[in-house]
Amino acid sequence: MASFLRHYSSSIPSPSSPSSPLADIRVPSFFLPTSSQATWLYTTLAIVAALLVLEQSVYRYKKKHLPGATWTIPIIGKFADSMKPTMEGYMAQWNSGALSVVSVFNMRVTFIVMASSNQYSRKILNSPTHAEPCLVHSAKSILMPDNWVFLTGKIHVEYRRVLNTLFTRKALSIYISIQDAITRNHLNQWLKDAAKDSSPKSIMKTARALNMQTSLRVFCGNHIPEEGAAEISQKYWDITRALELVNFPLALPGTKVYKAIQARKAAFKWLEMAAAKSKIAVAEGAEPECMLEQWVKELQAPGYKGRKDFSDREMAMVIFSFLFASQDAMSSGLIYGFQHLADQPEILAKIREEQYRVRGNDIDKPLTLELLDEMPYLKAFVKESMRVKPPVTMVPYRTTKPFPITPDYTVPASSMVIPSFYNSLHDPQVYPDHDSLIPERWLDSNSSANTNPQNYLVFGSGPHKCVGLEYAQLNIALVLATASVLTNWEHQITPESDKVQIIATLFPKDGCLLKFTPRPKP
């Protein structure tokens, strides 16, 4: 046996033998790199490793002791989670601490500090010298970087001084007749459409169409022709899609941001024209019949003290920002209002009783501010509906310099800080049975809800608090009030029905399916 093995082994050709066939086999160079290639390979690997270590080190240095992932996913961080945000994910983040940390695309300025408590959320909202609104990454590209919503300091104060005059009781009394007439036309059209097809339909597009026409006529009157209003309405959806939480940031042809910029340009053409026509109308002695005319009139008032030289473009930018709010946040609030009333018929019955009593059973009587003043239950419902399902759960800010948010933690400059509204609006200490819709909590002046106004962050807080909050609540109340006496509606429950959108541009989408039918006159 041993001799056989010696014979067998001696017959195997050695790879180093000149006569061996294996000696002619060439080994690819990438298996046996040359000295130069090996040097480049090892250098590249060393650089990549060093960058990854640096990335993690920077993240840990910024994070310090705050709750958050100990290590972040290399390069992309939490990008995958941000593509499909869920309320459950955000609740887990909020529950980890009053302040917590997350990172998206680690080597960029996307280090994020999230505030879940009312204390820190309000501190962010009320610290204009340390943080400014940024909404989402593409917001400034779409809304324009010099739009008043992004301004701070004296110039922002000057804007708000005049914009506040556009939402006084006097101004709202001008708008309400427009709102009432358009609402009735749309509700009648909804009933006609339902008569042709009685199956439940998504209310999202119908609510947005109602709000768009109302907003354009309230803001611009008849200074925008029908073809202009139709173009803005048709293209505005591109703007909403581009203002999602995460989007491809560059405005390359075909991208959402590019389409949104084109839509903004189309809208600006009409809005600037409306501003110019409003100035002409007021100069010729016309009394204000829309917001733009009211703006021009206020600038001419003897008692007005402030900036008076607003260009057509600047006025167009302001109206454009109001369109954004009315199309996204206000539409969302209206949709949930319909859904809440359908799901809780006992509340709808109380609203109807109030409507018939205040209107004297005359459901054709146009609503006025004076009539709405006599509808406290309706107002309480609108306020409570937006508390339970806030149209906006958070508004991202960006730090302009190091922000000492607590005695032992400073948010780095150019970081994102995100105050949460949802937690303040669902604080069980302020709102007992906080997940339930209870309008009565607002009817008692001594209730914990009314004695803790700092928790009601539906419209934000501080210098950037929503300037049109009275108009928004008025419009939702008016639509629901008129719908309650003209129509009946049923809600078809879907898996999307109870979901809360993360920011204004994430709607309940097609989850709210309603079936409308006419309501007999009393």
Side-chain angles (χ1 to χ4, degrees):
M1 182 69 174
S3 62
F4 169 77
L5 290 175
R6 285 194 299 270
H7 172 77
Y8 181 78
S9 62
S10 64
S11 66
I12 298 177
S14 169
S16 59
S17 171
S19 61
S20 170
L22 295 178
D24 295 327
I25 298 178
R26 297 178 62 85
V27 179
S29 62
F30 55 77
F31 285 124
L32 295 174
T34 65
S35 176
S36 175
Q37 290 173 324
T39 299
W40 277 107
L41 175 62
Y42 297 146
T43 301
T44 301
L45 292 175
I47 292 173
V48 171
L51 288 175
L52 293 177
V53 170
L54 175 63
E55 172 191 79
Q56 299 296 323
S57 300
V58 170
Y59 167 74
R60 292 291 297 276
Y61 174 78
K62 290 181 177 180
K63 174 183 178 297
K64 290 186 169 60
H65 62 279
L66 293 187
T70 304
W71 305 101
T72 184
I73 300 172
I75 302 176
I76 66 170
K78 292 288 187 177
F79 173 73
D81 291 344
S82 65
M83 289 294 290
K84 292 184 178 180
T86 64
M87 196 61 189
E88 293 75 17
Y90 277 99
M91 288 298 295
Q93 185 78 30
W94 291 330
N95 291 337
S96 67
L99 292 173
S100 59
V101 166
V102 67
S103 182
V104 179
F105 285 127
N106 307 319
M107 298 306 288
R108 293 174 59 90
V109 286
T110 44
F111 179 78
I112 301 170
V113 175
M114 302 191 72
S116 62
S117 71
N118 182 262
Q119 173 191 359
Y120 293 133
S121 292
R122 287 178 60 84
K123 187 166 186 177
I124 294 169
L125 296 168
N126 287 275
S127 300
T129 59
H130 288 93
E132 63 181 13
C134 65
L135 300 181
V136 296
H137 183 82
S138 57
K140 286 190 176 181
S141 300
I142 297 167
L143 300 180
M144 303 293 287
D146 57 337
N147 196 306
W148 80 281
V149 298
F150 302 117
L151 301 178
T152 58
K154 182 179 178 180
I155 187 171
H156 180 258
V157 172
E158 290 177 342
Y159 261 99
R160 285 194 73 101
R161 181 181 291 120
V162 66
L163 298 187
N164 286 334
T165 68
L166 306 182
F167 298 101
T168 61
R169 188 173 179 85
K170 176 184 176 182
L172 292 174
S173 66
I174 297 173
Y175 312 149
I176 194 169
S177 60
I178 303 173
Q179 295 167 269
D180 186 79
I182 292 176
T183 295
R184 288 175 181 274
N185 288 339
H186 275 261
L187 290 173
N188 288 330
Q189 186 60 52
W190 293 3
L191 292 174
K192 290 179 182 178
D193 293 340
K196 299 175 183 177
D197 181 357
S198 61
S199 62
K201 300 289 190 305
S202 168
I203 193 179
M204 184 186 72
K205 290 185 179 180
T206 52
R208 284 176 61 85
L210 166 60
N211 274 336
M212 176 60 82
Q213 185 179 7
T214 301
S215 297
L216 285 176
R217 293 309 169 203
V218 165
F219 300 159
C220 304
N222 293 317
H223 298 308
I224 292 182
E226 287 298 329
E227 64 267 26
E231 182 178 15
I232 294 173
S233 183
Q234 179 184 10
K235 293 183 177 179
Y236 200 90
W237 183 243
D238 286 335
I239 295 171
T240 295
R241 293 176 68 236
L243 289 171
E244 292 171 345
L245 198 57
V246 177
N247 250 323
F248 184 75
L250 301 180
L252 300 179
T255 63
K256 292 180 181 180
V257 175
Y258 176 85
K259 292 178 181 178
I261 291 174
Q262 302 312 305
R264 181 249 297 158
K265 291 178 179 178
F268 262 52
K269 175 185 65 177
W270 298 109
L271 297 177
E272 288 187 64
M273 181 187 72
K277 287 186 175 181
S278 295
K279 293 175 180 178
I280 294 172
V282 174
E284 293 177 348
E287 286 300 311
E289 295 182 352
C290 67
M291 183 178 288
L292 280 172
E293 291 178 356
Q294 177 67 13
W295 188 345
V296 176
K297 192 76 172 180
E298 285 293 337
L299 295 180
Q300 298 176 354
Y304 173 73
K305 296 180 180 179
R307 182 183 164 195
K308 296 186 177 183
D309 57 339
F310 289 94
S311 67
D312 295 344
R313 178 181 176 276
E314 288 176 303
M315 297 179 81
M317 276 199 295
V318 169
I319 297 302
F320 188 73
S321 69
F322 289 169
L323 276 180
F324 169 62
S326 65
Q327 281 304 283
D328 296 339
M330 199 162 74
S331 291
S332 182
L334 179 59
I335 291 168
Y336 278 131
F338 272 111
Q339 179 176 314
H340 285 148
L341 290 178
D343 293 344
Q344 302 192 55
E346 70 281 2
I347 295 179
L348 178 55
K350 292 179 182 180
I351 287 179
R352 281 180 172 145
E353 185 280 326
E354 183 179 68
Q355 291 301 304
Y356 291 137
R357 174 169 44 81
V358 173
R359 295 171 188 251
N361 286 335
D362 183 2
I363 62 175
D364 295 323
K365 179 187 295 185
L367 277 182
T368 63
L369 289 181
E370 290 70 27
L371 286 176
L372 282 167
D373 288 341
E374 300 178 42
M375 302 173 181
Y377 192 81
L378 171 67
K379 291 183 176 181
F381 166 76
V382 171
K383 194 167 186 177
E384 179 72 348
S385 178
M386 289 193 289
R387 182 196 69 80
V388 174
K389 292 283 182 70
V392 182
T393 57
M394 64 185 77
V395 176
Y397 276 60
R398 190 176 299 281
T399 54
T400 54
K401 59 184 177 181
F403 183 4
I405 195 167
T406 73
D408 60 351
Y409 185 77
T410 297
V411 183
S414 297
S415 299
M416 191 175 285
V417 282
I418 304 182
S420 163
F421 300 167
Y422 189 87
N423 297 313
S424 293
L425 296 168
H426 285 256
D427 185 338
Q429 301 300 316
V430 177
Y431 308 107
D433 196 7
H434 59 94
D435 285 333
S436 297
L437 197 150
I438 308 173
E440 287 77 7
R441 72 171 89 240
W442 298 105
L443 300 177
D444 178 5
S445 59
N446 295 318
S447 69
S448 57
N450 279 314
T451 55
N452 290 278
Q454 72 277 5
N455 272 73
Y456 197 77
L457 294 180
V458 169
F459 297 99
S461 178
H464 287 275
K465 185 175 182 178
C466 177
V467 70
L469 61 93
E470 293 288 347
Y471 171 76
Q473 293 177 99
L474 170 66
N475 192 66
I476 294 173
L478 183 149
V479 174
L480 294 176
T482 305
S484 72
V485 295
L486 294 183
T487 72
N488 294 316
W489 65 91
E490 301 174 11
H491 176 216
Q492 179 175 305
I493 305 295
T494 73
E496 300 290 321
S497 296
D498 292 328
K499 288 188 176 181
V500 176
Q501 68 275 19
I502 304 304
I503 58 175
T505 52
L506 300 181
F507 287 99
K509 298 185 178 178
D510 293 335
C512 189
L513 303 179
L514 300 182
K515 176 183 177 180
F516 285 89
T517 55
R519 182 170 178 80
K521 288 189 175 183

